[in-house]
Amino acid sequence: MKQNRYQVIIVGGGPVGVALAVELGQRGISCALVERHVVMQRIPKGQNLTQRTLEHFYFWNCVDALRAARLMPQGVPTSGVSAYGSLMGEYWAAPAQRELVHEYYFQAYERLPQYETEKVLRHRMAALSCVTALFGWDAQTVEQDGQGVRVGVVACEGGERRVLEADYVVGCDGGRSVVREQAGIGRSGADFDQKMMLAVFRSRELHEGLKRFPVKSTYNVMHPDLKGYWQFFGRIDVGEGWFFHAPVPLDTTTGNFDFLGLLHKAAGFAFACEFDYIGFWDLRVAVAEKYRVGRVFIAGDAAHTHPPYGGFGLNNGLEDITNLGWKLAAHLQGWGGEALLASYGEERQPIFKETGEDFIAARIEQDRVFLENFSPERDRAAFERAWEERMAKTSARARVYEPHYEGSSVVMGPAGGVCSAHGSHTFKSRAGHHLPPQTLSSGRNVFEELGAGFTLLAFGAEDDAVRGFEGAAQSLGVPLKVVRDSQTGGREAYGKKLMLVRPDQYVVWNDDVAPADARALMAKVSGQRSRGH
C-alpha cells in the first residue's frame, strides 16, 4: 500500500526543495517531495554559492561531493569584471567582493551550475530513508484545517491521482508557486517592465579574447544606453562554456533578433559560438507579503523572486530552508513551541525585502544615475573619479551584506534590534548574528563540534553556569550540547565566555555570567514561552 501520510510535504524539487528534504530527513522527519520534472533542467543559473551556503552543505554531509562537482578550476573567485561600454573598453575594474569576508565563515565559497548542485543534493536525499521523492508528480491542490494539510497530486504520465496528507506543507515551487497562490499570499516589489534574454553557448574564441583580464567568473558591461541594466557574460567552465544575460526589446522572440550581434557588441569583438539555449525572463523584484498561512509555508523563489544580480537568489532560498527546517523538526519532535514556527517569516521576510530593495533594485538605480551623469566623452576626469567610487562601492557592499536576526522574538537581541540584511562582519559574538569560526584547543574548528540542537559554548566559564543551562534544557526537553574550552587561543575574540548557539549556527544569547533564569531563556529561544515556569 502506498504511503500517503507524512509529517511534511515539500512541493517543488529544485535545489531549495531537495535541500529542505535533506535538512528534515537528517532530523528524522518523514516527508514527501513532489516535483513534476523528472530530469533536471541544464540551465546554468544559481552558480555563485556563498561561504554561508557551503556551511549548509557541510552540515548536510555533502560538502566534499559538492566541491568535487565543480567545473571551474580551484581558486577562481566568484567575483567579476565590470567594464564600461564593452569588454574591450578602456575602463574596467575587477573589484574584490565575497572573498573580502571569507575569514568570518567556516567554509570557502564555490561556483558550479545549479544542475550540478541539484545532483549532489538529490544523491544525498536518496540516502535518507524517511524521505519519499515523487518525481514526475504535479501538485495541483493544497488544503488545510486544524488537523493538517492535504495536497492533491497527479502523475504527469498516466494521470494517476493521489491525496497526500501531512502536518505541514512547504512550497518551494518557484516564482509561479501553486502553494503560495492557493494560500492566498500576495507579493509586492519593483517591476522594471524590462524583458531580459538568457543565452547559453560555447565559444573558445571568447575565452581567448578575454585574456586581457584576470580569470573571473563574470564579465559585466555597463553601457550608457541600458538604464543601469547589465549585459553580463558568465563562465560555466574555463574553456568554452558561457551564459549571457542582457536587456532586449519587449517584442523580442527567438526568431526576430540578432543575438550573436548583441554578444559581439557587448564583448567588443566578433567571435564564433554555438548556442545551446536562448530564453527570456522579466526583470522584477517581488517579495511575498508573508511566508506562512497556518500550516502552509513558502520558501525560495516561491517567497522571493529577483534578477540574477549579485547571486542572492539561491543562497537566500537555502538560508530560508535552513532557518525553517530545524524549527519544523523541533516543533514536530515536541520541543519547539509555536512561537518558533512564527519566527520563520518574522526573521526571513525582512531579510529578502531589504536584499531586493537595497542590494538589487538600488544597485540598478545607482548604475542608471551614474551612467546618466558621467561620460568620458563629456568630462573624462569627472567620469574617472566617479568610476573609481562606483567600483569601491561594489567591494564595500560585500562587507555590509550580513543578514541577522537581532529583532527576532526567539533571540535575546539588543534593545531596539531589528532583523535586517544590513550589518557588519566581526569575530565578536553578537546575539542574532551568525557565529564566526574559531579554532579550539583540540585543533578542531568550533563548527565541527556544534550539535544538531542547541550548543552552549563555554570558554573559561564557571561550572555553575553550565549546569544551570543543562538543567534548564533537560526540564524543557531541548537538546543541548556543551562545548568547553579556555578563553584563549583566538577564542577571546568572541568577547564573551558563554554563547548559546541554535541549530542554524546563529547566536541567540551571550554573556560572561549565567542568566538570572536559564529556564526562561531556554523557553524563549525554543519558542516555548507559553509554557511558563
Side-chain angles (χ1 to χ4, degrees):
M1 182 177 177
K2 295 177 180 177
Q3 180 182 350
N4 287 319
R5 175 74 196 185
Y6 305 88
Q7 290 174 290
V8 177
I9 297 168
I10 303 163
V11 177
V16 172
V18 177
L20 178 58
V22 172
E23 176 75 26
L24 292 171
Q26 288 191 161
R27 296 180 182 277
I29 302 301
S30 69
C31 47
L33 179 134
V34 182
E35 168 56 48
R36 59 193 179 92
H37 290 111
V38 176
V39 178
M40 292 173 285
Q41 296 176 295
R42 290 186 64 83
I43 298 176
K45 54 186 179 179
Q47 296 209 117
N48 282 356
L49 303 180
T50 65
Q51 295 98 330
R52 172 62 180 153
T53 291
L54 268 291
E55 290 179 353
H56 303 330
F57 280 86
Y58 170 80
F59 287 106
W60 294 330
N61 298 296
C62 55
V63 69
D64 291 339
L66 185 80
R67 295 200 188 280
R70 69 177 294 142
L71 303 179
M72 299 280 282
Q74 190 71 34
V76 176
T78 61
S79 56
V81 168
S82 291
Y84 179 79
S86 79
L87 293 181
M88 293 296 104
E90 179 181 357
Y91 295 100
W92 65 272
Q97 296 181 52
R98 287 190 174 122
E99 55 265 43
L100 295 171
V101 298
H102 72 91
E103 63 185 331
Y104 301 103
Y105 297 89
F106 175 52
Q107 293 288 321
Y109 53 57
E110 194 54 86
R111 180 179 173 85
L112 69 168
Q114 182 170 301
Y115 49 81
E116 295 292 347
T117 301
E118 272 189 71
K119 192 184 300 181
V120 170
L121 287 168
R122 283 194 182 194
H123 186 264
R124 178 71 187 109
M125 178 179 68
L128 300 169
S129 60
C130 52
V131 177
T132 299
L134 298 174
F135 291 111
W137 289 77
D138 187 29
Q140 297 190 339
T141 60
V142 180
E143 300 174 347
Q144 64 169 313
D145 56 29
Q147 282 66 54
V149 297
R150 291 169 301 283
V151 178
V153 300
V154 178
C156 297
E157 288 191 14
E160 180 187 348
R161 293 180 178 272
R162 293 170 61 183
V163 176
L164 309 180
E165 298 180 351
D167 297 286
Y168 297 96
V169 61
V170 184
C172 302
D173 50 339
R176 296 182 176 86
S177 170
V178 169
V179 176
R180 184 191 65 241
E181 290 175 0
Q182 296 207 7
I185 300 174
R187 293 190 296 173
S188 60
D191 190 337
F192 296 89
D193 192 29
Q194 176 61 60
K195 190 172 191 174
M196 303 289 290
M197 65 156 288
L198 164 62
V200 182
F201 64 96
R202 284 165 286 126
S203 175
R204 291 189 177 277
E205 287 188 15
L206 178 60
H207 172 67
E208 292 298 320
L210 296 183
K211 287 191 172 178
R212 68 182 296 210
F213 303 122
V215 177
K216 293 281 187 173
S217 295
T218 57
Y219 300 81
N220 306 325
V221 176
M222 298 174 63
H223 195 283
D225 295 339
L226 298 182
K227 302 178 183 178
Y229 306 136
W230 294 355
Q231 295 174 321
F232 70 96
F233 295 88
R235 291 187 182 275
I236 301 172
D237 53 40
V238 174
E240 66 173 14
W242 296 90
F243 63 88
F244 177 74
H245 290 276
V248 291
L250 293 176
D251 62 353
T252 301
T253 68
T254 55
N256 70 0
F257 192 82
D258 180 9
F259 297 103
L260 182 59
L262 179 59
L263 265 65
H264 290 170
K265 183 178 179 181
F269 62 95
F271 56 88
C273 79
E274 295 182 32
F275 288 101
D276 292 329
Y277 171 87
I278 294 176
F280 304 98
W281 52 276
D282 295 322
L283 184 62
R284 64 168 59 98
V285 177
V287 185
E289 294 168 359
K290 49 192 169 184
Y291 283 16
R292 177 195 184 189
V293 173
R295 295 176 176 272
V296 177
F297 296 85
I298 55 175
D301 286 355
H304 42 77
T305 55
H306 42 78
Y309 287 11
F312 293 107
L314 178 56
N315 293 296
N316 266 282
L318 295 175
E319 191 70 48
D320 288 345
I321 61 93
T322 303
N323 184 296
L324 176 61
W326 76 268
K327 294 173 179 178
L328 272 173
H331 188 67
L332 289 164
Q333 290 165 349
W335 59 269
E338 173 60 33
L340 202 60
L341 296 184
S343 72
Y344 164 61
E346 175 192 348
E347 292 179 352
R348 293 302 303 158
Q349 200 268 356
I351 300 298
F352 199 83
K353 188 172 189 300
E354 288 189 359
T355 300
E357 292 176 354
D358 300 346
F359 290 88
I360 300 177
R363 184 172 184 179
I364 294 172
E365 175 63 14
Q366 290 162 5
D367 285 349
R368 183 190 66 79
V369 171
F370 162 75
L371 291 166
E372 282 184 356
N373 287 280
F374 300 98
S375 163
E377 289 78 25
R378 291 198 304 266
D379 187 333
R380 178 175 289 266
F383 173 85
E384 289 177 350
R385 287 193 298 270
W387 176 259
E388 291 296 326
E389 181 182 331
R390 195 84 200 92
M391 294 303 106
K393 286 182 178 178
T394 299
S395 291
R397 193 178 294 112
R399 295 188 183 276
V400 299
Y401 186 74
E402 191 260 334
H404 62 81
Y405 311 131
E406 284 188 358
S408 172
S409 60
V410 293
V411 170
M412 301 296 288
V418 297
C419 299
S420 174
H422 296 269
S424 60
H425 289 83
T426 174
F427 283 109
K428 184 178 180 181
S429 167
R430 297 167 294 171
H433 292 256
H434 169 264
L435 176 73
Q438 287 290 354
T439 304
L440 300 171
S441 298
S442 64
R444 287 166 62 82
N445 195 283
V446 66
F447 270 67
E448 296 177 272
E449 295 294 345
L450 295 175
F454 281 84
T455 303
L456 179 66
L457 303 178
F459 296 156
E462 299 294 330
D463 289 344
D464 286 348
V466 173
R467 283 194 290 269
F469 271 101
E470 289 175 325
Q474 185 175 11
S475 71
L476 292 167
V478 176
L480 177 71
K481 179 180 180 180
V482 176
V483 177
R484 298 173 183 260
D485 209 332
S486 63
Q487 198 184 23
T488 58
R491 293 174 295 283
E492 65 276 10
Y494 283 133
K496 299 293 181 182
K497 294 181 178 180
L498 292 163
M499 290 159 280
L500 186 61
V501 183
R502 69 187 199 182
D504 60 353
Q505 302 90 52
Y506 274 76
V507 178
V508 293
W509 170 90
N510 59 18
D511 208 331
D512 285 322
V513 296
D517 188 337
R519 192 178 188 280
L521 170 61
M522 291 300 300
K524 177 183 173 73
V525 299
S526 61
Q528 298 185 46
R529 288 168 294 174
S530 62
R531 292 171 65 169
H533 294 273

